[in-house]
Amino acid sequence: MSQDNAAPAPAAEQGSRNFWQRVGAALVLAPGAIAVAYFGGWAWAVLVTAVAIGLFLEWLTIVGAARDFRVLVIGCLTLLVCGLGLIFDKPGPAVLAATLGVGGLAALGDQPRRWTTSGLGYAALALIASILLRRDPDYGFSALVLIFLIVWGSDIGGYFAGRSIGGPKLWPRVSPKKTWAGAIGGLVLSLLVGLVFALSGFGKIIPLLILAAVLSTSSQLGDLFESAVKRRFGVKDSSHIIPGHGGLLDRLDGYVAAVAVAVLIGLMRGSPDGIGRGLMVW
């Protein structure tokens, strides 16, 4: 057998191993995230705050600012205060803390301000949106589960459609492996999620299908955004904390974008205490 014919075997074996690592990690993390979201309250707020700090630290590692002590202190304290404010049902001070923290990083003049402030804003957005959405006592949990499933559907549908169909690349300069087939496959599976929710009595079919399409598109754009940041700094994975997935940023980039858009829609149609209702009830 020629060397050219034998070469793809190790790559295929590595791809299969990576796939099963992803499946194993998902089977552990997904039920845990849903369980904590179900309990809500301080448990969900603590988890989200810890994850937001992790997102910020990974972002600093990507942009090369992880050793700047002032940036670390300002950023982590900002997210901690923001999380505590939301735990004690004080969204106003939480948003103020995030604003002051981002402003504090922007005021530092001897470090890459644009990237560090963007990272803190990104993590704070994930934190605030996730907790505000869950505060809705009637629709917060179901809205979060809908977002989880749409984001996971976008990822799973994109993975299998992209690998089985292939075809033209979506944005090769940013993410060489993503294809238009994968993007469409992720969208289709997300629409199925929206349809199942509608048929289960969580809302009307057409609005939930439109919502699923918007959130799936947001999730995929969030994924591309994180890929663009990593490519800008020549980084493959944000970390190696999750087997088969890389880091928290690699796993949650789509979720951060989707939950931010979901909260914006919910606020436009509801109130800070009824974001889930504004999102789900049309």
Side-chain angles (χ1 to χ4, degrees):
M1 182 179 293
S2 68
Q3 184 176 358
D4 290 341
N5 290 333
E13 181 180 349
Q14 183 179 3
S16 177
R17 187 185 307 115
N18 182 265
F19 170 75
W20 288 112
Q21 285 180 334
R22 289 169 66 95
V23 170
L27 290 175
V28 172
L29 296 176
I34 292 176
V36 178
Y38 174 78
F39 286 109
W42 67 266
W44 176 246
V46 168
L47 174 63
V48 170
T49 301
V51 169
I53 292 174
L55 290 174
F56 178 63
L57 294 178
E58 287 189 355
W59 183 287
L60 293 184
T61 300
I62 290 175
V63 304
R67 295 185 178 182
D68 192 319
F69 182 73
R70 295 174 304 167
V71 172
L72 286 171
V73 170
I74 292 175
C76 291
L77 280 179
T78 295
L79 295 172
L80 183 60
V81 172
C82 188
L84 287 173
L86 292 170
I87 287 174
F88 290 102
D89 201 26
K90 303 293 183 182
V95 174
L96 178 61
T99 303
L100 292 176
V102 170
L105 286 189
L108 297 178
D110 55 349
Q111 42 84 28
R113 289 179 296 171
R114 180 178 65 175
W115 292 106
T116 54
T117 53
S118 297
L120 181 56
Y122 182 89
L125 178 63
L127 189 160
I128 294 171
S130 298
I131 298 179
L132 284 183
L133 180 59
R134 184 59 186 91
R135 290 174 74 233
D136 186 328
D138 298 318
Y139 292 90
F141 175 66
S142 57
L144 267 177
V145 172
L146 176 63
I147 295 170
F148 285 158
L149 294 180
I150 287 175
V151 172
W152 295 339
S154 296
D155 189 30
I156 294 169
Y159 180 86
F160 283 105
R163 288 180 67 89
S164 60
I165 300 174
K169 302 298 182 181
L170 181 62
W171 195 354
R173 288 183 59 187
V174 170
S175 185
K177 294 183 180 181
K178 285 184 172 56
T179 64
W180 280 102
I184 295 172
L187 176 62
V188 169
L189 192 53
S190 297
L191 291 175
L192 288 177
V193 170
L195 179 62
V196 169
F197 262 69
L199 295 177
S200 300
F202 286 96
K204 298 179 180 179
I205 292 180
I206 298 302
L208 280 180
L209 288 178
I210 295 174
L211 179 63
V214 170
L215 296 184
S216 176
T217 302
S218 301
S219 173
Q220 296 189 48
L221 289 174
D223 192 354
L224 288 171
F225 168 73
E226 196 241 355
S227 295
V229 174
K230 290 190 298 183
R231 183 163 288 272
R232 164 67 174 76
F233 290 94
V235 176
K236 183 179 184 298
D237 294 320
S238 59
S239 74
H240 301 284
I241 193 173
I242 306 175
H245 292 282
L248 292 171
L249 276 169
D250 300 314
R251 179 64 280 178
L252 297 177
D253 47 11
Y255 166 78
V256 174
V259 76
V261 171
V263 166
L264 179 62
I265 295 172
L267 282 172
M268 290 172 61
R269 303 192 67 253
S271 67
D273 293 322
I275 295 175
R277 174 180 288 274
L279 189 67
M280 303 286 290
V281 179
W282 293 75

